[in-house]
Amino acid sequence: MEILDVLTSMAMSGRLGPVFIGADWNDVTAALGEPWDIGTTSRKRRWPRLFAYGDLEVSVCRCRNVSLICVQTWRDVVDLPRSVGGGTVSFPAGLRHTDVVSALDRVGCSWEPYAPLTFGNQCSLTAVASGAQFTFEICKAEEPVLNVMGLPGDGHDCSARTACRDH
């Protein structure tokens, strides 16, 4: 399996194995094991928290639901859990814009430019099927290189403590 296969499948389905927006965190950790706890996304609150399985990063709300997913692709190698990488753990990075667009077109995944994340030295596109966003770094005299691919959150707000388990 190639990294573009993993990312295009994610763009088409809105999920990476057991990881999808709204997934129960207990189900994710049961399937993938314990992640690396990166920490909170706020200095004032314990939740939401950011966890990582290699270059797969997952934000989890205090209700213990997945609220944001991204795959960091800006490093030399992209590391993913074996079960979501199709048995492969490490993939070469450095994905070019034309390679990503060709891969999306090949699997029939419609895409369009994503203006809110296109500015300065970056450009972005979104997969219509899932809303997955591919953000590229634009380097001088080179084709844009994929920096991160993510599945945006669904706007979940677990501020109603009665509906959540606050741990």
Side-chain angles (χ1 to χ4, degrees), residues 40-51:
T40 65
T41 58
S42 167
R43 290 181 182 211
K44 297 179 182 182
R45 298 187 179 134
R46 288 184 58 203
W47 295 95
R49 296 192 73 79
L50 188 61
F51 297 95

mmCIF file with all atom_site columns, all heavy atoms in Angstrom, residues 40-51:
data_model
loop_
_atom_site.group_PDB
_atom_site.id
_atom_site.type_symbol
_atom_site.label_atom_id
_atom_site.label_alt_id
_atom_site.label_comp_id
_atom_site.label_asym_id
_atom_site.label_entity_id
_atom_site.label_seq_id
_atom_site.pdbx_PDB_ins_code
_atom_site.Cartn_x
_atom_site.Cartn_y
_atom_site.Cartn_z
_atom_site.occupancy
_atom_site.B_iso_or_equiv
_atom_site.pdbx_formal_charge
_atom_site.auth_seq_id
_atom_site.auth_comp_id
_atom_site.auth_asym_id
_atom_site.auth_atom_id
_atom_site.pdbx_PDB_model_num
ATOM 1   N N   . THR A 1 40 ? -3.100  19.190 25.986 1.00 0.00 ? 40 THR A N   1
ATOM 2   C CA  . THR A 1 40 ? -4.344  19.917 25.758 1.00 0.00 ? 40 THR A CA  1
ATOM 3   C C   . THR A 1 40 ? -4.191  20.905 24.610 1.00 0.00 ? 40 THR A C   1
ATOM 4   O O   . THR A 1 40 ? -3.081  21.289 24.256 1.00 0.00 ? 40 THR A O   1
ATOM 5   C CB  . THR A 1 40 ? -4.784  20.689 27.021 1.00 0.00 ? 40 THR A CB  1
ATOM 6   O OG1 . THR A 1 40 ? -3.818  21.691 27.294 1.00 0.00 ? 40 THR A OG1 1
ATOM 7   C CG2 . THR A 1 40 ? -4.946  19.765 28.200 1.00 0.00 ? 40 THR A CG2 1
ATOM 8   N N   . THR A 1 41 ? -5.317  21.320 24.090 1.00 0.00 ? 41 THR A N   1
ATOM 9   C CA  . THR A 1 41 ? -5.306  22.335 23.052 1.00 0.00 ? 41 THR A CA  1
ATOM 10  C C   . THR A 1 41 ? -5.607  23.713 23.647 1.00 0.00 ? 41 THR A C   1
ATOM 11  O O   . THR A 1 41 ? -5.680  24.689 22.930 1.00 0.00 ? 41 THR A O   1
ATOM 12  C CB  . THR A 1 41 ? -6.328  22.010 21.950 1.00 0.00 ? 41 THR A CB  1
ATOM 13  O OG1 . THR A 1 41 ? -7.629  21.911 22.534 1.00 0.00 ? 41 THR A OG1 1
ATOM 14  C CG2 . THR A 1 41 ? -5.978  20.705 21.257 1.00 0.00 ? 41 THR A CG2 1
ATOM 15  N N   . SER A 1 42 ? -5.784  23.742 24.966 1.00 0.00 ? 42 SER A N   1
ATOM 16  C CA  . SER A 1 42 ? -6.062  24.997 25.670 1.00 0.00 ? 42 SER A CA  1
ATOM 17  C C   . SER A 1 42 ? -5.252  25.020 26.965 1.00 0.00 ? 42 SER A C   1
ATOM 18  O O   . SER A 1 42 ? -5.079  23.993 27.614 1.00 0.00 ? 42 SER A O   1
ATOM 19  C CB  . SER A 1 42 ? -7.557  25.091 26.008 1.00 0.00 ? 42 SER A CB  1
ATOM 20  O OG  . SER A 1 42 ? -7.798  26.132 26.927 1.00 0.00 ? 42 SER A OG  1
ATOM 21  N N   . ARG A 1 43 ? -4.775  26.178 27.340 1.00 0.00 ? 43 ARG A N   1
ATOM 22  C CA  . ARG A 1 43 ? -4.024  26.299 28.597 1.00 0.00 ? 43 ARG A CA  1
ATOM 23  C C   . ARG A 1 43 ? -4.947  26.276 29.810 1.00 0.00 ? 43 ARG A C   1
ATOM 24  O O   . ARG A 1 43 ? -4.519  26.018 30.915 1.00 0.00 ? 43 ARG A O   1
ATOM 25  C CB  . ARG A 1 43 ? -3.229  27.594 28.610 1.00 0.00 ? 43 ARG A CB  1
ATOM 26  C CG  . ARG A 1 43 ? -2.091  27.568 27.645 1.00 0.00 ? 43 ARG A CG  1
ATOM 27  C CD  . ARG A 1 43 ? -1.323  28.855 27.724 1.00 0.00 ? 43 ARG A CD  1
ATOM 28  N NE  . ARG A 1 43 ? -0.258  28.822 26.738 1.00 0.00 ? 43 ARG A NE  1
ATOM 29  C CZ  . ARG A 1 43 ? 0.883   29.415 26.889 1.00 0.00 ? 43 ARG A CZ  1
ATOM 30  N NH1 . ARG A 1 43 ? 1.113   30.123 27.974 1.00 0.00 ? 43 ARG A NH1 1
ATOM 31  N NH2 . ARG A 1 43 ? 1.798   29.339 25.963 1.00 0.00 ? 43 ARG A NH2 1
ATOM 32  N N   . LYS A 1 44 ? -6.223  26.543 29.595 1.00 0.00 ? 44 LYS A N   1
ATOM 33  C CA  . LYS A 1 44 ? -7.152  26.678 30.710 1.00 0.00 ? 44 LYS A CA  1
ATOM 34  C C   . LYS A 1 44 ? -7.960  25.417 30.996 1.00 0.00 ? 44 LYS A C   1
ATOM 35  O O   . LYS A 1 44 ? -8.567  25.310 32.043 1.00 0.00 ? 44 LYS A O   1
ATOM 36  C CB  . LYS A 1 44 ? -8.108  27.840 30.436 1.00 0.00 ? 44 LYS A CB  1
ATOM 37  C CG  . LYS A 1 44 ? -7.409  29.173 30.350 1.00 0.00 ? 44 LYS A CG  1
ATOM 38  C CD  . LYS A 1 44 ? -8.376  30.279 30.051 1.00 0.00 ? 44 LYS A CD  1
ATOM 39  C CE  . LYS A 1 44 ? -7.622  31.592 29.919 1.00 0.00 ? 44 LYS A CE  1
ATOM 40  N NZ  . LYS A 1 44 ? -8.514  32.708 29.680 1.00 0.00 ? 44 LYS A NZ  1
ATOM 41  N N   . ARG A 1 45 ? -7.979  24.465 30.053 1.00 0.00 ? 45 ARG A N   1
ATOM 42  C CA  . ARG A 1 45 ? -8.824  23.288 30.212 1.00 0.00 ? 45 ARG A CA  1
ATOM 43  C C   . ARG A 1 45 ? -8.050  22.010 29.937 1.00 0.00 ? 45 ARG A C   1
ATOM 44  O O   . ARG A 1 45 ? -7.096  22.012 29.182 1.00 0.00 ? 45 ARG A O   1
ATOM 45  C CB  . ARG A 1 45 ? -10.005 23.365 29.250 1.00 0.00 ? 45 ARG A CB  1
ATOM 46  C CG  . ARG A 1 45 ? -10.901 24.548 29.517 1.00 0.00 ? 45 ARG A CG  1
ATOM 47  C CD  . ARG A 1 45 ? -12.132 24.472 28.641 1.00 0.00 ? 45 ARG A CD  1
ATOM 48  N NE  . ARG A 1 45 ? -12.993 25.596 28.929 1.00 0.00 ? 45 ARG A NE  1
ATOM 49  C CZ  . ARG A 1 45 ? -13.556 26.350 28.021 1.00 0.00 ? 45 ARG A CZ  1
ATOM 50  N NH1 . ARG A 1 45 ? -13.361 26.102 26.756 1.00 0.00 ? 45 ARG A NH1 1
ATOM 51  N NH2 . ARG A 1 45 ? -14.327 27.352 28.365 1.00 0.00 ? 45 ARG A NH2 1
ATOM 52  N N   . ARG A 1 46 ? -8.505  20.905 30.537 1.00 0.00 ? 46 ARG A N   1
ATOM 53  C CA  . ARG A 1 46 ? -7.880  19.600 30.306 1.00 0.00 ? 46 ARG A CA  1
ATOM 54  C C   . ARG A 1 46 ? -8.311  19.003 28.964 1.00 0.00 ? 46 ARG A C   1
ATOM 55  O O   . ARG A 1 46 ? -7.635  18.140 28.432 1.00 0.00 ? 46 ARG A O   1
ATOM 56  C CB  . ARG A 1 46 ? -8.267  18.631 31.418 1.00 0.00 ? 46 ARG A CB  1
ATOM 57  C CG  . ARG A 1 46 ? -7.594  18.948 32.739 1.00 0.00 ? 46 ARG A CG  1
ATOM 58  C CD  . ARG A 1 46 ? -7.919  17.915 33.773 1.00 0.00 ? 46 ARG A CD  1
ATOM 59  N NE  . ARG A 1 46 ? -7.495  16.590 33.306 1.00 0.00 ? 46 ARG A NE  1
ATOM 60  C CZ  . ARG A 1 46 ? -7.996  15.447 33.732 1.00 0.00 ? 46 ARG A CZ  1
ATOM 61  N NH1 . ARG A 1 46 ? -8.934  15.447 34.657 1.00 0.00 ? 46 ARG A NH1 1
ATOM 62  N NH2 . ARG A 1 46 ? -7.565  14.301 33.268 1.00 0.00 ? 46 ARG A NH2 1
ATOM 63  N N   . TRP A 1 47 ? -9.481  19.407 28.487 1.00 0.00 ? 47 TRP A N   1
ATOM 64  C CA  . TRP A 1 47 ? -10.030 18.871 27.233 1.00 0.00 ? 47 TRP A CA  1
ATOM 65  C C   . TRP A 1 47 ? -10.400 20.015 26.324 1.00 0.00 ? 47 TRP A C   1
ATOM 66  O O   . TRP A 1 47 ? -10.775 21.071 26.811 1.00 0.00 ? 47 TRP A O   1
ATOM 67  C CB  . TRP A 1 47 ? -11.256 17.995 27.521 1.00 0.00 ? 47 TRP A CB  1
ATOM 68  C CG  . TRP A 1 47 ? -10.894 16.782 28.301 1.00 0.00 ? 47 TRP A CG  1
ATOM 69  C CD1 . TRP A 1 47 ? -10.959 16.652 29.660 1.00 0.00 ? 47 TRP A CD1 1
ATOM 70  C CD2 . TRP A 1 47 ? -10.382 15.551 27.812 1.00 0.00 ? 47 TRP A CD2 1
ATOM 71  N NE1 . TRP A 1 47 ? -10.524 15.415 30.030 1.00 0.00 ? 47 TRP A NE1 1
ATOM 72  C CE2 . TRP A 1 47 ? -10.170 14.710 28.918 1.00 0.00 ? 47 TRP A CE2 1
ATOM 73  C CE3 . TRP A 1 47 ? -10.084 15.064 26.528 1.00 0.00 ? 47 TRP A CE3 1
ATOM 74  C CZ2 . TRP A 1 47 ? -9.673  13.426 28.787 1.00 0.00 ? 47 TRP A CZ2 1
ATOM 75  C CZ3 . TRP A 1 47 ? -9.600  13.782 26.411 1.00 0.00 ? 47 TRP A CZ3 1
ATOM 76  C CH2 . TRP A 1 47 ? -9.397  12.976 27.529 1.00 0.00 ? 47 TRP A CH2 1
ATOM 77  N N   . PRO A 1 48 ? -10.342 19.907 25.035 1.00 0.00 ? 48 PRO A N   1
ATOM 78  C CA  . PRO A 1 48 ? -9.960  18.720 24.272 1.00 0.00 ? 48 PRO A CA  1
ATOM 79  C C   . PRO A 1 48 ? -8.454  18.455 24.368 1.00 0.00 ? 48 PRO A C   1
ATOM 80  O O   . PRO A 1 48 ? -7.664  19.342 24.663 1.00 0.00 ? 48 PRO A O   1
ATOM 81  C CB  . PRO A 1 48 ? -10.361 19.045 22.839 1.00 0.00 ? 48 PRO A CB  1
ATOM 82  C CG  . PRO A 1 48 ? -10.432 20.520 22.774 1.00 0.00 ? 48 PRO A CG  1
ATOM 83  C CD  . PRO A 1 48 ? -10.745 21.006 24.159 1.00 0.00 ? 48 PRO A CD  1
ATOM 84  N N   . ARG A 1 49 ? -8.081  17.188 24.073 1.00 0.00 ? 49 ARG A N   1
ATOM 85  C CA  . ARG A 1 49 ? -6.687  16.750 24.110 1.00 0.00 ? 49 ARG A CA  1
ATOM 86  C C   . ARG A 1 49 ? -6.288  16.261 22.726 1.00 0.00 ? 49 ARG A C   1
ATOM 87  O O   . ARG A 1 49 ? -7.107  15.781 21.963 1.00 0.00 ? 49 ARG A O   1
ATOM 88  C CB  . ARG A 1 49 ? -6.489  15.632 25.122 1.00 0.00 ? 49 ARG A CB  1
ATOM 89  C CG  . ARG A 1 49 ? -6.766  16.086 26.551 1.00 0.00 ? 49 ARG A CG  1
ATOM 90  C CD  . ARG A 1 49 ? -6.296  15.090 27.561 1.00 0.00 ? 49 ARG A CD  1
ATOM 91  N NE  . ARG A 1 49 ? -4.851  15.045 27.703 1.00 0.00 ? 49 ARG A NE  1
ATOM 92  C CZ  . ARG A 1 49 ? -4.120  15.914 28.392 1.00 0.00 ? 49 ARG A CZ  1
ATOM 93  N NH1 . ARG A 1 49 ? -4.696  16.936 28.985 1.00 0.00 ? 49 ARG A NH1 1
ATOM 94  N NH2 . ARG A 1 49 ? -2.815  15.772 28.490 1.00 0.00 ? 49 ARG A NH2 1
ATOM 95  N N   . LEU A 1 50 ? -4.999  16.397 22.463 1.00 0.00 ? 50 LEU A N   1
ATOM 96  C CA  . LEU A 1 50 ? -4.445  15.940 21.194 1.00 0.00 ? 50 LEU A CA  1
ATOM 97  C C   . LEU A 1 50 ? -3.599  14.697 21.456 1.00 0.00 ? 50 LEU A C   1
ATOM 98  O O   . LEU A 1 50 ? -2.758  14.696 22.359 1.00 0.00 ? 50 LEU A O   1
ATOM 99  C CB  . LEU A 1 50 ? -3.593  17.045 20.565 1.00 0.00 ? 50 LEU A CB  1
ATOM 100 C CG  . LEU A 1 50 ? -3.089  16.820 19.154 1.00 0.00 ? 50 LEU A CG  1
ATOM 101 C CD1 . LEU A 1 50 ? -4.244  16.651 18.174 1.00 0.00 ? 50 LEU A CD1 1
ATOM 102 C CD2 . LEU A 1 50 ? -2.219  17.996 18.718 1.00 0.00 ? 50 LEU A CD2 1
ATOM 103 N N   . PHE A 1 51 ? -3.869  13.642 20.682 1.00 0.00 ? 51 PHE A N   1
ATOM 104 C CA  . PHE A 1 51 ? -3.152  12.379 20.796 1.00 0.00 ? 51 PHE A CA  1
ATOM 105 C C   . PHE A 1 51 ? -2.531  12.049 19.446 1.00 0.00 ? 51 PHE A C   1
ATOM 106 O O   . PHE A 1 51 ? -3.011  12.505 18.409 1.00 0.00 ? 51 PHE A O   1
ATOM 107 C CB  . PHE A 1 51 ? -4.104  11.247 21.204 1.00 0.00 ? 51 PHE A CB  1
ATOM 108 C CG  . PHE A 1 51 ? -4.728  11.442 22.548 1.00 0.00 ? 51 PHE A CG  1
ATOM 109 C CD1 . PHE A 1 51 ? -5.980  12.029 22.676 1.00 0.00 ? 51 PHE A CD1 1
ATOM 110 C CD2 . PHE A 1 51 ? -4.068  11.038 23.696 1.00 0.00 ? 51 PHE A CD2 1
ATOM 111 C CE1 . PHE A 1 51 ? -6.560  12.211 23.919 1.00 0.00 ? 51 PHE A CE1 1
ATOM 112 C CE2 . PHE A 1 51 ? -4.642  11.215 24.948 1.00 0.00 ? 51 PHE A CE2 1
ATOM 113 C CZ  . PHE A 1 51 ? -5.888  11.802 25.059 1.00 0.00 ? 51 PHE A CZ  1
#
